[in-house]
Amino acid sequence: AGMAGAFLMEIRRGTQSALLVIRYAAAELPSAPVEVSVCADSLEVRSGGSCDAAALPAGVRLAPSSCRGLRRLCGDGLHLRVRLRCPPPAADVVFTLRESLKPNKDYIFYCQSCGDIVVKDRKFLRVLPLPSENWNDLVEEWCCHPDPFARSTLHPQHGDCFVGDTYFLLNSGNESHVPESPKSKENSRVICKRCKTMLGETVSSDTIKYYVTEVNIQPAEGSFSPTPRSQFVQSMVARCLLELSSAKSTFRFTIKGDNGKTYILIWLLNSDTLLVESLGSSFSHNDFTLFGDILTPSCGPVGTWNAVKVLYQPCIQCRNKELADAWENDMGVHSLKFPSETCLELLLILGLSTTSLPPSLRCMNSFQV
């Protein structure tokens, strides 16, 4: 009858409310009447003698009597809002980058793309956070005399790991990094010897910057377990956004490449979202599933994901230049720097996420969701 039997539920933990979208394979509703049953722990759709049902994940319980706002949107399916009977499970604790590294413990840095060892058995005596990127610009506001830090640099010693917003600073020691050119400018690119991916930059003769999106750090006593690239990039960027929004009450970000170009403008909308999606449908899986092959639930016909919801604008090929210039001069906007290739990857990930949403949920004002 054209019934997809698939649904997407966007739950807000803070308000204990959910938007439920029951989707169809075709743009139009089937000719037979459609009956939707919302139960505390399941959803059921009947039409033309067929029945599609899905059990909700453990911990997600609806209050059926609170259903309201039922409407049909062409191309989307049926929308309705419903309250939750109890708060959904709390999101996984997001450790800060600094907390993920412990002093006096051996670590191995792997290339995230190919798994090659970049830094082997390094023990840090100190793991310290770096100040904000623009800390030096604020010194004149703090001091009534010439900048006392003008000739000082924050370079780690051999037992140090300094943690920035999007990178780690390590003393190069005896590590065999591979710069693009041994005689290039001071900030030369650090390249993986096996897959030639950019891992970071040489900041000085004895200091290397490794970007958090390019290295996978594991305790030396454990075994290396690779993470799909797109999943890793999403989790690390989300972690950066959450840390900065929590610490600095900053919710607008510019994503810049190592070449200084602005690639994306991101506005963090909320971080308490739980997505529930049914994966069983009578039409192409990739036409509906929110993450396609990027993220796959552990098991079962219904997947759940903790998510951050962002609004974004691409800035490649001079798009949104006026808005990007305005954000550049806005003190309330924080800049995040990643390798240029990773910025393009992130833009692709955002685009795939947007196009997999129901059409009515893909845009908010002039931003993409």
Side-chain angles (χ1 to χ4, degrees):
M3 182 68 64
F7 71 87
L8 171 68
M9 188 183 301
E10 180 184 331
I11 296 173
R12 292 292 306 277
R13 287 186 173 87
T15 59
Q16 295 185 40
S17 60
L19 170 64
L20 173 62
V21 182
I22 299 173
R23 304 198 63 186
Y24 294 87
E28 299 297 327
L29 290 174
S31 55
V34 177
E35 180 182 334
V36 179
S37 299
V38 179
C39 303
D41 58 356
S42 65
L43 300 171
E44 189 176 278
V45 180
R46 295 177 180 272
S47 176
S50 66
C51 176
D52 293 298
L56 297 177
V60 176
R61 292 295 177 266
L62 305 178
S65 60
S66 67
C67 289
R68 58 183 172 82
L70 178 64
R71 58 178 179 151
R72 172 209 164 199
L73 294 180
C74 186
D76 278 15
L78 297 176
H79 286 232
L80 63 91
R81 293 192 174 275
V82 61
R83 296 195 60 80
L84 272 64
R85 184 170 285 180
C86 56
D92 296 334
V93 176
V94 178
F95 293 101
T96 64
L97 297 173
R98 182 165 57 94
E99 289 174 338
S100 64
L101 292 174
K102 303 294 184 183
N104 298 312
K105 193 172 181 180
D106 290 327
Y107 290 95
I108 298 177
F109 285 49
Y110 297 91
C111 170
Q112 205 285 320
S113 296
C114 71
D116 195 30
I117 293 179
V118 179
V119 178
K120 188 174 184 180
D121 293 336
R122 179 69 71 89
K123 179 183 288 185
F124 300 113
L125 301 178
R126 300 189 302 172
V127 179
L128 302 173
L130 286 167
S132 297
E133 294 293 308
N134 62 341
W135 72 273
N136 215 21
D137 299 335
L138 302 176
V139 169
E140 60 184 37
E141 302 291 338
W142 303 338
C143 302
C144 58
H145 50 279
D147 184 357
F149 308 109
R151 297 185 179 180
S152 301
T153 53
L154 297 173
H155 286 178
Q157 302 302 309
H158 184 70
D160 295 340
C161 177
F162 293 170
V163 184
D165 290 341
T166 62
Y167 60 86
F168 303 98
L169 281 187
L170 271 62
N171 187 280
S172 57
N174 298 322
E175 304 301 335
S176 56
H177 63 279
V178 185
E180 200 170 56
S181 169
K183 295 182 180 180
S184 64
K185 61 180 183 178
E186 186 179 23
N187 285 353
S188 58
R189 292 159 66 94
V190 176
I191 307 297
C192 173
K193 289 187 290 184
R194 178 190 288 175
C195 68
K196 308 305 179 186
T197 297
M198 178 186 174
L199 304 175
E201 306 167 359
T202 55
V203 178
S204 68
S205 59
D206 62 351
T207 303
I208 298 181
K209 173 194 291 186
Y210 290 108
Y211 287 103
V212 297
T213 53
E214 312 309 316
V215 292
N216 195 338
I217 305 172
Q218 301 284 343
E221 66 271 13
S223 58
F224 175 68
S225 54
T227 305
R229 175 68 183 162
S230 296
Q231 184 177 340
F232 187 83
V233 170
Q234 287 188 82
S235 64
M236 295 310 297
V237 172
R239 182 179 291 188
C240 292
L241 297 178
L242 289 177
E243 284 187 29
L244 288 167
S245 64
S246 174
K248 305 176 186 294
S249 295
T250 297
F251 304 98
R252 289 181 295 159
F253 304 87
T254 56
I255 305 297
K256 292 189 173 184
D258 60 287
N259 55 7
K261 294 182 180 179
T262 299
Y263 284 80
I264 317 171
L265 307 178
I266 289 184
W267 197 325
L268 177 62
L269 201 58
N270 67 63
S271 57
D272 66 343
T273 294
L274 176 66
L275 291 173
V276 181
E277 178 192 21
S278 69
L279 304 180
S281 67
S282 59
F283 63 105
S284 171
H285 178 268
N286 287 333
D287 284 347
F288 174 67
T289 184
L290 187 61
F291 296 110
D293 294 330
I294 295 176
L295 283 179
T296 304
S298 55
C299 61
V302 176
T304 60
W305 294 269
N306 294 313
V308 294
K309 189 172 185 178
V310 301
L311 310 180
Y312 71 97
Q313 290 276 25
C315 294
I316 56 174
Q317 299 175 338
C318 296
R319 294 176 63 183
N320 300 299
K321 187 177 186 307
E322 290 186 7
L323 183 60
D325 291 342
W327 281 32
E328 186 71 28
N329 299 318
D330 192 326
M331 290 293 290
V333 178
H334 196 88
S335 178
L336 296 176
K337 181 180 175 183
F338 298 101
S340 301
E341 297 86 348
T342 301
C343 295
L344 292 173
E345 282 183 86
L346 179 59
L347 189 56
L348 176 61
I349 291 169
L350 288 168
L352 289 172
S353 176
T354 298
T355 55
S356 64
L357 287 169
S360 66
L361 302 181
R362 295 176 187 174
C363 295
M364 183 176 290
N365 297 330
S366 61
F367 285 80
Q368 297 181 67
V369 180

